[in-house]
Amino acid sequence: MGSCKFSMFSFLCLIIILVVVSGEESPQFVKDRISLLSFRSGIVLDPEGALESWNSSSNHVCHWTGVRCDNASDRVIQLDLSGLSLHGRISPILANLSSLLVLDLSRNFFEGHIPAELGYLFQLRQLSLSWNLLGGNIPEELGFLHQLVYLDLGSNRLAGDIPAPLFCNGSSSLEYMDLSNNSLTGKIPLKNECELSALRFLLLWSNRLVGRVPRALSKSTNLKWLDLESNMLTGELPSEIVRKMPKLQFLYLSYNDFVSHDGNTNLEPFFASLVNSSDLQELELAGNNLRGEIPPIIGNLSTNFVQIHLDENLLYGSIPPHISNLVNLTLLNLSSNLLNGTIPLELCRMGKLERVYLSNNSLSGEIPAALANISHLGLLDLSKNKLTGPIPDSFANLSQLRRLLLYENQLSGTIPQSLGQCVNLEILDLSRNKISGIIPSEVAGLKSLKLYLNLSSNHLHGPLPLELSKMDMVLGIDLSSNNLSGSIPPQLGSCIALEHLNLSGNVLEGLLPATIGQLPYLKELDVSSNQLSGNIPHSLEASPTLKHLNFSFNKFSGNTSNKGAFSSLTIDSFLGNEGLCGEIKGMPNCRRKHAHHSLVLPVLLSLFVTTLLCIFAYPLALRSKFRRQMVIFNRGDLEDEDKETKDLKHPRISYRQLIEATGGFSASSLIGSGQFGHVYKGVLQDNTRIAVKVLMTVIQQMIQCPLAQLMDCCVDLSATLPLVKPIVDQAVVRFAPSGMPVYYNKIWSDVILELIELGLICTQNNPSTRPSMLEVANEMGSLKQYLSSPPPLLIDEAYPKASA
C-alpha cells in the first residue's frame, strides 16, 4: 500500500545510479529500464503495492512485477499490469519499449487520453487497455500497428468516430477487436476495398454507432463472434453478410433499429441465411421493430443452439411447433410480442430447457401439464397472456423450478397444494387471475421463497396461514385485493428479511400486531381497506426503515403522532379511520374531540365535593379535635365547646381583614402545611388571635384563589366574590379549548362563580345560614339547565352582527 509519486530529483538520482551500475548492459536495455521508471512516475496510486519491486536498483528489470524480457535480446517484450487497481496516466514514453509485444494495462484506473505514441510500437501484437477511465478519441496512429492480433479498448469513456485505419490498414493479422461499452459514434468504417480476413471476434456493443452493417464484413469468413448490440444501426437484418460466416457461433444484434425483409414482414430470409452456420449457439434479435411470423425454418437451425432471444419485437402468429427441433436449447425468449394461439405441446419435448419466457403476448388456452416433463426447468414466465383453466398439479415435478410467473392471465381453480413440493422456488407470482379457495399451508410454508410471494387480485378467502411465518428469507409478500379474513398473525414478525408487505383490500380484522413494526428491514406496509381496529402500534412509528405506510379505511383509533416513520406521511395514509386523532396535518386534534372535558371534569368534581361537604363536613367538624385546636382564642380563655356552639356569636371577617391580620399570608405567619393547604396565624385589629386555613381546591388550576375558612367564622361573600371573578374570567379564557363559541366563556364563568359561592355557603358554621339539600339540588338543576340551554340574549350579545 502506498503512493507512487516520484520527485524529479529522486528520479534523476535513480537514473544516474542505473547508468553507473549498468556495467555491460546494452544501451537499449538501459533505455527500456529508464522508460519503465518514467512510466512509473505517472502512476499516482498503487494501493496493492504491486510495483514495490520496481524501487530497488539491485533488482533486475526482468524480475520487476509485470515485466517480461526476451532472453536472447535482453529486451522488454511484455508489460502486463492488469487488474492491479493502479491510478494515474499512461506515459507516452512507453513508445520507447520498441521490442514490446504485449501491453496489458486493463482493469485499472488510468485516466486521460490514449497516447498516440503507442502507435509506434510496431512489434506490438496485443494491446489491452479495457476497463479503465480513458477518454477522448481513439488515436489514428493505432492503425499503424500492422502486427496487431488482439486489440481491446472496451469499457472506457472513449468518444468520437472509429478511426478508419483501425479497420482498413492492410493488416491481415487482426483476430480480436473490442471497442464495446464506450460512446463511439459514426458508422462502422469498413470500406468495400478493405478486408479483415483473420478477424474472429468483433465486439462493438453499447456505443452510438449508426448506419448499416458494412457489406465488407462478409469477407471476414472466419468470424465466430459478432456483437453489434445496443447501437443505432439500421437497415434490413444482414442476411447476405452472415450467410458467408459458416463458423459463426454468437450473433448479437439486439436493441438496434433493424427490420425484417420485404418491408418488415418476412423473417424467413434471415433465418435461412443461418442454416449453414452449423456451430451457431446463441442468437439475439431482441428490442428491434421486427415484424412477421416466426418461420418454420427456425427448426432447421443448428442443433447446437443454446439460446434464442426474439423478445420485444412485433412478431405475430403462433409459435411454430418446429422450434422443438432445437433439442439442446436452454433458453427461449419470445416475450413482449404479438403472438397468439396456444402453447405448443411440442415444447415439452425440449428436455434441456432451463428458462422459458412467453410473457406479454396474447397466448390462450390452458397451460400444458406436460411442461412438467421439462425436468431442468428453472424459470417459467407465462404472465400477461390470456391463459385459462387451472394451474397444473404436475408442476410439483419441477424440482428445479425457481421462478414461476403466471400473473395477469385468466387462470381459475385453486392454488395446487402440490406447489409446496417445489422446494427451490424463489418467486411465486399468481396475481391478477381468478384463482379461488384458500392459501394452502404447503405453499405458505415454502421456506425457499427468497424474493417475493404475490397472490394479489384473486378470489382467495379464509385466514392468513400461520405457515407464512416460515418464509424467513422472502423480501416481499403481496396478498392484497382478495377476501382474506380473520386476524393478522403476530408470527409474521418471524419473516425477518421482509421489506414489502401488502395485505390491503381484504376483510382482515382485529389488532395490527406490534411485531410487524419490529421487522428489521421493512420498507413498505399497506393494510388499507380492511376492518382492523385498535391503536396503530408504536413499533411502526419507531421503525428506522419504514418509508411507505397506508392505514386508510379501517377502524383504527387513538392518538397518532408525526414522529419517526410517520413524519413523512400525509393524511392520505390515514383516511377513513374516524377514531384516529393526532398531529398529522389534516387529522383531528385529539383534544378537540373531548373539547369540553377540560372544564366539565373540574366542575363535576366541584359539584360532588360541594354536596359531600354539605352532608358530612359540618357534623364531623363539630367532633373534630382539629376544631377544638382551631377555635378562636379570646384573650387566652378557652370556653366550653358545647356552650360555644350554641351561644358564640361569630363575627364576619372580610378578605381584606385576613390579608392585614396575616401580613399578606407571609411566610413568617405560616404555622403548618398539609396535603390540602396551609395554616397561617394572625391578629385582628381588636387583638383577636386567629388561625386561617387556606384550602387548595380541585379547581385551583383554573382559579388561583385561596379559600380562607375558619371553623368559627365565615368569609364575607360580598367582599370575596368580586375579587375572585376577574381571576375566573381570565382562567376560562386561558384554558378554553380551541373552536369553542365566544358566549361559552361567559357561561362557564357564571357557572364556576355560582359553584364557588354555593360551596362557601354550604360551609357556613351557623346551620341557619346553610342551604338545605333541596335548595342545593334545585341550584344544581338550574346550573345544568343554564349549561345546556344558554339564554338567546346571551348568544345575541356574543354575535351582534349575526343577530342583526
Side-chain angles (χ1 to χ4, degrees):
M1 302 291 292
S3 173
C4 295
K5 293 182 178 179
F6 263 60
S7 68
M8 183 60 66
F9 177 76
S10 301
F11 177 61
L12 291 175
C13 290
L14 187 56
I15 290 177
I16 293 172
I17 294 172
L18 290 174
V19 171
V20 171
V21 301
S22 60
E24 299 179 354
E25 292 179 351
S26 67
Q28 288 298 328
F29 185 77
V30 173
K31 183 179 180 181
D32 286 355
R33 188 202 309 262
I34 294 173
S35 298
L36 288 173
L37 289 174
S38 181
F39 163 76
R40 187 186 186 283
S41 67
I43 297 175
V44 297
L45 184 61
D46 177 12
E48 299 178 11
L51 303 185
E52 291 296 329
S53 62
W54 290 35
N55 291 334
S56 174
S57 59
S58 61
N59 194 11
H60 196 276
V61 172
C62 298
H63 297 156
W64 289 358
T65 301
V67 177
R68 180 184 169 194
C69 299
D70 178 53
N71 294 332
S73 63
D74 205 23
R75 296 293 305 277
V76 175
I77 61 172
Q78 178 172 311
L79 179 60
D80 185 356
L81 300 177
S82 59
L84 298 180
S85 301
L86 301 174
H87 292 65
R89 291 178 177 269
I90 301 174
S91 173
I93 204 168
L94 287 178
N96 290 335
L97 302 174
S98 55
S99 296
L100 201 62
L101 301 178
V102 175
L103 177 58
D104 190 347
L105 303 179
S106 62
R107 292 177 286 119
N108 284 291
F109 296 92
F110 287 110
E111 299 177 323
H113 291 71
I114 299 174
E117 290 81 357
L118 296 184
Y120 300 108
L121 293 170
F122 298 123
Q123 303 299 317
L124 202 62
R125 297 178 61 83
Q126 177 179 335
L127 175 60
S128 182
L129 304 178
S130 61
W131 294 101
N132 279 286
L133 305 173
L134 299 170
N137 295 333
I138 299 175
E140 288 194 10
E141 287 80 357
L142 295 186
F144 300 164
L145 302 175
H146 293 260
Q147 303 299 319
L148 204 60
V149 176
Y150 186 100
L151 174 63
D152 189 354
L153 306 179
S155 299
N156 278 285
R157 299 173 177 176
L158 301 172
D161 292 354
I162 301 174
L166 220 56
F167 278 82
C168 192
N169 60 4
S171 171
S172 59
S173 59
L174 190 63
E175 297 181 7
Y176 185 99
M177 179 186 292
D178 186 353
L179 307 179
S180 64
N181 199 21
N182 282 286
S183 298
L184 301 173
T185 56
K187 297 181 179 182
I188 301 174
L190 185 59
K191 299 180 179 179
N192 290 333
E193 62 271 18
C194 300
E195 182 177 335
L196 293 172
S197 57
L199 193 64
R200 295 189 298 145
F201 298 87
L202 179 59
L203 291 82
L204 302 177
W205 57 272
S206 193
N207 280 288
R208 300 174 184 174
L209 302 175
V210 297
R212 296 172 177 266
V213 179
R215 298 184 67 87
L217 194 59
S218 62
K219 300 175 184 178
S220 302
T221 55
N222 291 311
L223 205 61
K224 292 184 176 181
W225 193 310
L226 177 59
D227 192 343
L228 306 178
E229 184 175 298
S230 298
N231 280 284
M232 295 182 283
L233 300 172
T234 56
E236 288 185 348
L237 290 170
S239 304
E240 296 304 317
I241 296 173
V242 298
R243 188 187 304 274
K244 298 178 181 179
M245 298 177 181
K247 298 180 180 179
L248 199 61
Q249 297 178 10
F250 302 94
L251 178 58
Y252 303 121
L253 302 177
S254 297
Y255 302 105
N256 282 283
D257 290 317
F258 291 121
V259 295
S260 60
H261 292 69
D262 301 330
N264 200 23
T265 61
N266 189 3
L267 282 168
E268 186 169 355
F270 178 74
F271 280 99
S273 68
L274 297 174
V275 171
N276 293 329
S277 300
S278 57
D279 295 327
L280 196 59
Q281 298 179 31
E282 295 185 14
L283 172 64
E284 293 193 9
L285 299 176
N288 287 281
N289 289 312
L290 302 175
R291 290 182 177 272
E293 297 185 1
I294 302 175
I297 199 173
I298 193 173
N300 296 342
L301 297 180
S302 167
T303 55
N304 291 320
F305 248 115
V306 175
Q307 295 188 14
I308 291 183
H309 296 259
L310 301 179
D311 48 300
E312 297 183 52
N313 282 292
L314 301 171
L315 307 180
Y316 49 84
S318 59
I319 301 173
H322 309 79
I323 201 171
S324 61
N325 294 339
L326 306 178
V327 293
N328 290 307
L329 205 64
T330 62
L331 185 149
L332 174 62
N333 193 342
L334 305 179
S335 62
S336 298
N337 279 287
L338 306 173
L339 299 173
N340 54 30
T342 60
I343 300 174
L345 290 174
E346 288 78 5
L347 286 184
C348 307
R349 298 205 301 259
M350 304 170 73
K352 293 187 178 181
L353 273 175
E354 297 175 1
R355 289 173 286 174
V356 175
Y357 300 88
L358 302 179
S359 62
N360 199 18
N361 281 287
S362 298
L363 299 174
S364 58
E366 296 189 358
I367 301 174
L371 287 176
N373 297 332
I374 308 175
S375 58
H376 296 286
L377 196 61
L379 184 150
L380 179 60
D381 187 355
L382 306 179
S383 60
K384 294 187 176 182
N385 279 288
K386 299 177 181 179
L387 300 171
T388 57
I391 300 171
D393 271 322
S394 58
F395 279 4
N397 299 328
L398 297 173
S399 59
Q400 303 299 316
L401 192 63
R402 285 175 169 77
R403 302 186 180 189
L404 180 58
L405 308 171
L406 305 179
Y407 62 91
E408 290 191 40
N409 279 285
Q410 300 172 22
L411 301 175
S412 57
T414 60
I415 300 174
Q417 296 179 5
S418 57
L419 284 181
Q421 299 177 36
C422 299
V423 294
N424 289 305
L425 205 59
E426 298 175 355
I427 295 178
L428 177 60
D429 194 339
L430 310 180
S431 61
R432 298 180 180 276
N433 280 286
K434 300 178 180 179
I435 301 172
S436 58
I438 64 171
I439 301 174
S441 58
E442 294 84 355
V443 175
L446 278 169
K447 290 177 61 66
S448 60
L449 283 176
K450 295 179 181 178
L451 296 177
Y452 64 86
L453 169 67
N454 193 345
L455 306 179
S456 64
S457 300
N458 280 288
H459 305 307
L460 300 172
H461 61 82
L464 297 178
L466 291 177
E467 288 78 7
L468 287 172
S469 61
K470 296 180 180 179
M471 295 184 182
D472 54 2
M473 295 186 293
V474 72
L475 301 181
I477 296 178
D478 190 348
L479 306 179
S480 62
S481 301
N482 281 286
N483 294 307
L484 300 172
S485 58
S487 60
I488 300 175
Q491 290 85 345
L492 279 181
S494 299
C495 302
I496 57 174
L498 198 62
E499 296 181 2
H500 310 273
L501 177 60
N502 192 343
L503 302 176
S504 63
N506 285 287
V507 285
L508 300 170
E509 57 189 7
L511 301 178
L512 180 59
T515 54
I516 302 296
Q518 297 166 1
L519 289 168
Y521 304 107
L522 192 63
K523 297 178 181 178
E524 297 183 9
L525 173 64
D526 191 345
V527 293
S528 61
S529 301
N530 279 285
Q531 298 179 19
L532 300 172
S533 58
N535 292 335
I536 297 175
H538 291 294
S539 58
L540 293 170
E541 174 191 335
S543 171
T545 56
L546 272 171
K547 302 299 180 185
H548 304 283
L549 298 108
N550 194 348
F551 305 105
S552 59
F553 302 104
N554 279 283
K555 299 178 181 179
F556 288 118
S557 59
N559 194 350
T560 305
S561 79
N562 60 355
K563 305 294 190 302
F566 292 2
S567 61
S568 61
L569 300 183
T570 66
I571 190 62
D572 293 338
S573 297
F574 301 93
L575 292 174
N577 290 280
E578 296 180 358
L580 285 179
C581 60
E583 302 171 352
I584 303 295
K585 185 178 181 181
M587 184 178 289
N589 191 296
C590 288
R591 291 177 298 174
R592 186 176 300 167
K593 183 177 179 181
H594 306 288
H596 302 302
H597 289 190
S598 59
L599 288 176
V600 171
L601 182 59
V603 170
L604 292 179
L605 287 174
S606 299
L607 295 175
F608 182 69
V609 171
T610 300
T611 304
L612 291 180
L613 197 58
C614 290
I615 298 173
F616 299 110
Y618 181 70
L620 290 175
L622 292 177
R623 300 186 184 92
S624 173
K625 293 181 181 180
F626 294 102
R627 183 186 181 283
R628 292 196 297 269
Q629 295 174 0
M630 296 179 64
V631 13
I632 299 178
F633 288 87
N634 187 8
R635 306 182 191 279
D637 296 330
L638 182 64
E639 297 183 6
D640 179 73
E641 182 179 353
D642 293 336
K643 181 179 179 181
E644 177 188 89
T645 303
K646 298 177 181 178
D647 302 329
L648 185 62
K649 300 299 182 181
H650 306 296
R652 290 185 178 274
I653 303 173
S654 69
Y655 186 74
R656 184 183 302 276
Q657 290 176 295
L658 292 179
I659 293 292
E660 294 174 352
T662 59
F665 297 102
S666 65
S668 60
S669 300
L670 183 66
I671 60 176
S673 298
Q675 181 178 1
F676 301 101
H678 309 291
V679 180
Y680 296 85
K681 64 182 179 180
V683 180
L684 299 175
Q685 290 181 354
D686 61 352
N687 292 325
T688 301
R689 289 175 294 165
I690 61 173
V692 183
K693 178 82 178 269
V694 181
L695 297 177
M696 309 301 286
T697 68
V698 293
I699 55 174
Q700 182 189 13
Q701 290 183 345
M702 290 187 178
I703 49 173
Q704 303 293 329
C705 173
L707 297 179
Q709 177 181 345
L710 295 173
M711 301 304 296
D712 296 297
C713 62
C714 296
V715 175
D716 187 354
L717 295 177
S718 63
T720 302
L721 290 178
L723 296 174
V724 174
K725 186 177 186 308
I727 302 174
V728 172
D729 291 341
Q730 182 179 1
V732 168
V733 172
R734 178 180 177 185
F735 291 98
S738 59
M740 178 179 285
V742 177
Y743 63 85
Y744 265 94
N745 291 350
K746 169 66 174 169
I747 294 173
W748 284 113
S749 180
D750 291 345
V751 170
I752 292 171
L753 287 171
E754 286 290 334
L755 288 172
I756 293 173
E757 183 177 358
L758 183 61
L760 292 174
I761 294 174
C762 284
T763 58
Q764 298 293 311
N765 204 14
N766 191 341
S768 64
T769 61
R770 293 199 307 270
S772 65
M773 289 300 297
L774 180 60
E775 291 172 328
V776 171
N778 290 335
E779 183 66 18
M780 297 280 230
S782 299
L783 290 176
K784 180 179 178 182
Q785 179 65 27
Y786 184 66
L787 277 173
S788 59
S789 301
L793 182 60
L794 185 63
I795 301 176
D796 292 341
E797 290 177 354
Y799 302 102
K801 294 182 179 179
S803 303

